[in-house]
Amino acid sequence: MTNIASGNTLAAVASLIGDVARANILSALMDGRALTAGELAWHAGVSAQTTSGHLAKLTDAKLIAVEKQGRHRYFRLATPDIAQAIEALMAVAATGPKRHRPVGPKDIAMRTARTCYDHLAGRLGIALADALTTKGHVIISDGAGAVTRKGSKFLSEFGIDLAKADKGSRPLCKTCLDWSERRSHLAGRLGAALCVRCFDLGWIRREKDSRAVAITRSGQSGFAKTFGISL
Amino acid sequence: MTNIASGNTLAAVASLIGDVARANILSALMDGRALTAGELAWHAGVSAQTTSGHLAKLTDAKLIAVEKQGRHRYFRLATPDIAQAIEALMAVAATGPKRHRPVGPKDIAMRTARTCYDHLAGRLGIALADALTTKGHVIISDGAGAVTRKGSKFLSEFGIDLAKADKGSRPLCKTCLDWSERRSHLAGRLGAALCVRCFDLGWIRREKDSRAVAITRSGQSGFAKTFGISL
DNA sequence: AGGATAGTTCGGTGCAGGCCGAAATGTGGC
DNA sequence: GCCACATTTCGGCCTGCACCGAACTATCCT
């Protein structure tokens, strides 16, 4: 065996994700929010004791981070890297052999619009990326994007100030492969800012117990007026 | 549990990667070449029978593809997506809790220069990306890159013709997070073409049983003269 | 044809780890 | 102080699966 060390840790990380209960936990955290152990137990579909064990393992491996608040413990994905790795795995899983389509109402909602870590995905995410691209506000080249001067002005009018360098290290405008649309949507600081702004404007709101988001009445007109989008 | 279907398949894929033997197999295939079952058994560190079972599972799941040639069966990663997912997992694994540094000579070679699926990574990969960027041949913005007109000319003189659209679907110039350098290097069709060209020129050559590549004597002067790189 | 090499299938062993019930710890509210 | 609720720890069960030895098939070589 060549490089046992890197192989081992690769296997260790993948193995952590490779358990159904833990995969459900991580999927539930993919919207970037922090959830309590109890909520995660519900998502995982196993008892609270079992979940506790899983959470300990994930925390030890630094895949998730924990914050204590009173008698609750809030868990969230440790870094955006983790989310990216999981999204990449989801993309692989989506192309798998099983082309089964037991499409439920939840699935439809997910495909229409959802959060992906801290930005928007699904048809809405794609539509936003397209709208910004065709109007020349963002240039997407292959796997990433750059904001034009014109785009910067447009976004500032929309209420997003990209100048304040949130965290210097985080890329401004990345793209992220959408597992349902098989195309790229906007991630990075821009993607996150867009998402927050849409929530602030009341254009979208979170569905209960899901990453899916619903487009509100005002969102329907807002997206149409500002971006020319109608889903 | 919310979306049992997606969670399950996510878990299934991760679980396949999450076995040490299979992770070693996939790691060995990360350089994009096709290897025989016997070679993979050696990389995996288990017997041929056991390896056969693993290969069957990976093939069933479409993570790897197989091609029969005489009494050999050649296995390779099924799609670039798979390589990307594994690379993302490696990036996560590299940041893990264990900061152990049992750096061997092989490890040093890997960090200096190696192939990553079908393009170059390690210090050499980073240096190439830097050189092309600072000379204005490629513009890297956050997570991807675009080739400038000037760059297109330069590359053509170097012996790379990006015009012939290899496969229309594959992105021209993507970036890929380097797990050893923690920075991006060039992937996509451009990255692959650069890699092939350097092999053709005899500037680099593959190490035995490893993803590492060695920089030849002529490579030393070639990289210096053409790109201003000296490692 | 006979021998060597590549790979797979079968059967049986053994261990890792996921699961839950019960009980313990910790925290907030009254 | 006492109860309710959130979460963890302990102990034991049980399944899944990675592993190998041995035997079998397929292909190449001479």
Side-chain angles (χ1 to χ4, degrees):
Chain A
M1 39 217 133
T2 29
N3 41 2
I4 189 171
S6 90
N8 267 341
T9 48
L10 166 64
V13 172
S15 175
L16 280 171
I17 308 175
D19 170 85
V20 180
R22 283 193 298 259
N24 283 334
I25 288 173
L26 292 169
S27 296
L29 293 174
M30 275 297 284
D31 66 359
R33 282 183 299 180
L35 301 180
T36 66
E39 289 169 318
L40 289 172
W42 184 85
H43 282 284
V46 293
S47 70
Q49 313 92 288
T50 303
T51 303
S52 178
H54 287 313
L55 292 174
K57 285 180 188 177
L58 291 171
T59 308
D60 278 352
K62 302 261 168 68
L63 289 193
I64 61 179
V66 59
E67 199 172 338
K68 208 170 173 175
Q69 247 177 56
R71 59 180 163 178
H72 295 283
R73 292 184 73 200
Y74 282 89
F75 295 88
R76 56 177 172 78
L77 293 185
T79 68
D81 291 18
I82 317 286
Q84 187 174 329
I86 293 173
E87 193 75 14
L89 284 172
M90 281 178 167
V92 170
T95 62
K98 311 242 172 182
R99 273 257 168 268
H100 54 30
R101 293 263 169 230
V103 185
K106 279 207 178 143
D107 209 17
I108 293 179
M110 286 278 281
R111 282 167 195 276
T112 302
R114 66 178 180 280
T115 51
C116 169
Y117 192 59
D118 60 4
H119 52 271
L120 290 170
R123 294 217 316 280
L124 175 59
I126 299 289
L128 280 171
D130 281 351
L132 287 171
T133 304
T134 58
K135 294 205 179 151
H137 296 142
V138 168
I139 298 173
I140 291 186
S141 148
D142 299 313
V147 180
T148 64
R149 190 176 307 266
K150 185 181 158 203
S152 191
K153 182 158 172 288
F154 170 80
L155 289 170
S156 148
E157 280 162 13
F158 181 52
I160 293 176
D161 183 12
L162 293 169
K164 50 177 173 185
D166 193 341
K167 284 281 179 288
S169 57
R170 181 124 187 251
L172 175 61
C173 177
K174 273 179 66 174
T175 58
C176 176
L177 184 62
D178 196 295
W179 62 256
S180 60
E181 297 291 311
R182 304 288 300 157
R183 291 186 46 204
S184 285
H185 54 246
L186 295 173
R189 292 213 320 273
L190 172 59
L194 266 175
C195 180
V196 168
R197 185 64 180 146
C198 290
F199 274 117
D200 285 352
L201 288 170
W203 287 9
I204 49 179
R205 105 185 107 63
R206 295 185 187 279
E207 295 285 351
K208 188 151 182 57
D209 300 320
S210 165
R211 289 167 59 195
V213 299
I215 301 175
T216 63
R217 205 169 184 77
S218 71
Q220 291 286 0
S221 73
F223 284 122
K225 203 169 299 179
T226 310
F227 295 96
I229 296 172
S230 67
L231 290 188
Chain B
M1 43 217 130
T2 27
N3 41 2
I4 190 169
S6 89
N8 267 343
T9 50
L10 165 65
V13 172
S15 175
L16 280 171
I17 309 175
D19 170 84
V20 179
R22 284 193 297 261
N24 283 334
I25 289 173
L26 293 168
S27 296
L29 294 173
M30 275 296 283
D31 66 359
R33 283 183 298 181
L35 301 180
T36 67
E39 290 171 317
L40 289 173
W42 185 84
H43 282 285
V46 294
S47 71
Q49 313 93 287
T50 304
T51 303
S52 179
H54 287 313
L55 292 173
K57 285 181 189 178
L58 291 172
T59 309
D60 278 352
K62 301 263 167 70
L63 289 193
I64 62 179
V66 60
E67 199 173 338
K68 209 172 173 175
Q69 249 176 55
R71 59 178 162 177
H72 293 283
R73 293 183 74 199
Y74 282 89
F75 295 88
R76 59 177 170 75
L77 293 185
T79 69
D81 290 18
I82 317 286
Q84 187 175 329
I86 294 174
E87 193 75 15
L89 284 172
M90 281 178 167
V92 170
T95 61
K98 308 244 175 185
R99 272 257 168 267
H100 55 30
R101 291 263 170 230
V103 184
K106 280 206 177 141
D107 208 16
I108 291 179
M110 286 278 282
R111 282 168 194 276
T112 301
R114 67 180 180 277
T115 52
C116 170
Y117 192 59
D118 61 3
H119 52 270
L120 292 169
R123 294 217 315 279
L124 176 60
I126 298 289
L128 280 171
D130 281 350
L132 288 171
T133 304
T134 57
K135 293 204 178 153
H137 297 141
V138 168
I139 297 173
I140 292 185
S141 147
D142 299 314
V147 180
T148 62
R149 189 176 308 266
K150 184 181 157 201
S152 191
K153 183 158 171 287
F154 170 81
L155 289 169
S156 148
E157 281 163 12
F158 181 53
I160 293 175
D161 184 10
L162 293 170
K164 51 177 172 186
D166 194 340
K167 285 282 181 287
S169 57
R170 181 121 187 255
L172 176 59
C173 176
K174 272 181 64 174
T175 56
C176 175
L177 185 62
D178 196 296
W179 61 256
S180 59
E181 297 292 313
R182 304 289 299 156
R183 292 187 44 204
S184 286
H185 54 245
L186 295 174
R189 292 213 323 273
L190 171 59
L194 266 175
C195 181
V196 168
R197 185 64 180 146
C198 290
F199 274 119
D200 285 352
L201 288 170
W203 288 8
I204 50 178
R205 110 186 102 63
R206 293 184 188 279
E207 295 284 352
K208 188 152 182 56
D209 300 320
S210 166
R211 290 166 59 194
V213 299
I215 301 175
T216 64
R217 205 169 183 74
S218 71
Q220 290 286 358
S221 72
F223 283 123
K225 205 169 296 179
T226 310
F227 295 95
I229 295 173
S230 68
L231 289 188

